Amino acid sequence: MHWPHARIRRARNVEIQERVAAVRRDNPESEAWLGLLEAALGESEDSSIWEAAVPTTAAERPVKAPLLSHTQVTVDGRAARGWVRRLLKLTHSVNPQRIDGLALLEAAVCHDDARIDALAATGGVERHTLRVLGQMAALPLLQACARGLASELPATWWEGYCPLCGAWPVVAEYTGLERKRQLRCGRCGTGWAIPLLRCVFCDETDHDKLGYLTPEAGEPARKIEVCHGCKGYLKGFTTVRALAPWAILLDDLTTVPLDVAALERGYHRPERPGYVLEVRIDGRGGWWKWWRMVEGVAKQPPPTATNLQNLHQPPGIGA
């Protein structure tokens, strides 16, 4: 792919590079989406900005609320806006000057499509295009949060939505010899276990209402979980070990025919996220923190002859 903007970072991970090249070769129709994902993965590797923005979880939140619920993310506003601007430039139909980068980032983290659509209307952008751009923009921050808050994830999580960011999973993994079922979030990469015979979206447990669709080619490692009650579906992959967060998104892209098969049979994915987050993004990180530190030093009283004498006086003398 030709990169017209040199400041876009490409992933340095050789495995990612090889996998992206393979997807690009085998799925040329997905080039536009793949270019955005490649940029987001490259930004995720240069994670110092985003690691510094990982928030402290709220002391009190509902039992079923994800970790990011009601948090305030303080990010380097200049760097965050720069990243969003670079990403938007990859889509020629979008004028980055007309989109508030931090507002888009916050709306995307909250998975608030109504707010993204309002930004699209103001900026003269097709709303579905900006929704995709928003989720790609949020990827580096969400994956940094997954790494930084991994130790705080609950030991057990019974909900179908992500325990970190509230999104529905994009895939169910069946790993190891025991084929244990683990759901995986496509936004932050978090994984969590859930019982085998249970619908992710409506909690249906009647096995007569749960089933599978399998590819006509009979590929055993790929299938579609379906619920006849809520008509929801989820792709299922059999893997030797858990997929890396970046691999989840690439596998999701390369298995679009499974999505098409499910949609043609009347199954669908929920339009709304599993849990609506209330996250606030404050762009006063970086320079603001530095300025407050300088401001604090400036407010300290100037040294006096007595203070300096006490500072250099050995302990126990002059008491």
Side-chain angles (χ1 to χ4, degrees):
M1 177 183 180
H2 174 61
W3 289 85
H5 305 286
R7 294 183 64 193
I8 284 288
R9 303 178 179 92
R10 299 184 66 177
R12 296 183 297 274
N13 184 308
V14 175
E15 188 177 1
I16 294 178
Q17 292 177 4
E18 292 176 347
R19 183 67 192 284
V20 168
V23 173
R24 177 167 284 126
R25 181 187 63 246
D26 298 336
N27 302 268
E29 72 283 358
S30 302
E31 177 57 39
W33 192 93
L34 184 60
L36 299 175
L37 177 57
E38 189 176 13
L41 293 177
E43 181 68 21
S44 296
E45 281 191 344
D46 189 17
S47 58
S48 57
I49 296 168
W50 309 109
E51 301 288 355
V54 174
T56 301
T57 56
E60 296 183 4
R61 63 179 186 276
V63 174
K64 296 183 178 182
L67 283 183
L68 289 181
S69 179
H70 292 88
T71 58
Q72 176 166 307
V73 177
T74 302
V75 67
D76 184 330
R78 182 178 179 181
R81 286 189 177 93
W83 152 239
V84 176
R85 189 182 307 113
R86 294 193 301 274
L87 184 71
L88 295 181
K89 285 181 178 179
L90 294 179
T91 302
H92 299 298
S93 61
V94 179
N95 182 354
Q97 303 301 325
R98 300 184 63 182
I99 302 295
D100 184 329
L102 285 187
L104 177 60
L105 190 61
E106 182 179 280
V109 169
C110 294
H111 220 145
D112 191 336
D113 285 341
R115 288 167 60 189
I116 295 178
D117 292 350
L119 290 170
T122 302
V125 183
E126 200 279 323
R127 62 191 181 97
H128 291 293
T129 297
L130 197 61
R131 288 183 185 185
V132 173
L133 287 165
Q135 291 306 319
M136 288 297 108
L139 198 66
L141 173 59
L142 288 171
Q143 295 202 351
C145 288
R147 293 188 295 269
L149 299 176
S151 63
E152 298 186 41
L153 288 170
T156 57
W157 184 255
W158 296 100
E159 308 307 319
Y161 51 82
C162 176
L164 182 88
C165 74
W168 293 118
V170 299
V171 65
E173 287 180 326
Y174 296 86
T175 58
L177 296 176
E178 297 179 354
R179 295 292 185 262
K180 291 185 177 180
R181 186 192 192 201
Q182 179 172 250
L183 305 181
R184 295 297 301 274
C185 176
R187 301 205 311 160
C188 64
T190 297
W192 66 103
I194 193 171
L196 183 62
L197 291 176
R198 179 181 168 191
C199 175
V200 170
F201 309 113
C202 71
D203 297 331
E204 178 64 68
T205 56
D206 185 348
H207 69 277
D208 290 330
K209 295 183 179 180
L210 302 173
Y212 299 99
L213 302 176
T214 56
E216 293 182 0
E219 184 182 0
R222 300 282 187 269
K223 61 183 177 182
I224 309 169
E225 299 181 3
V226 297
C227 175
H228 306 308
C230 70
K231 304 299 288 185
Y233 81 90
L234 179 67
K235 290 184 284 191
F237 301 161
T238 299
T239 62
V240 176
R241 54 184 176 274
L243 295 169
W246 57 265
I248 296 171
L249 293 170
L250 288 171
D251 277 10
D252 185 40
L253 175 62
T254 58
T255 55
V256 169
L258 295 181
D259 296 280
V260 174
L263 293 170
E264 288 178 344
R265 289 161 176 77
Y267 298 98
H268 56 81
R269 301 264 306 171
E271 293 185 1
R272 294 181 58 79
Y275 195 100
V276 179
L277 294 179
E278 293 184 20
V279 174
R280 293 290 175 264
I281 294 184
D282 186 343
R284 296 184 296 177
W287 70 269
W288 177 261
K289 291 182 178 179
W290 176 84
W291 174 252
R292 292 301 297 269
M293 180 179 67
V294 172
E295 189 180 47
V297 172
K299 289 181 178 179
Q300 294 180 1
T304 63
T306 303
N307 290 339
L308 291 174
Q309 181 180 0
N310 292 337
L311 180 63
H312 296 287
Q313 195 172 51
I317 298 179

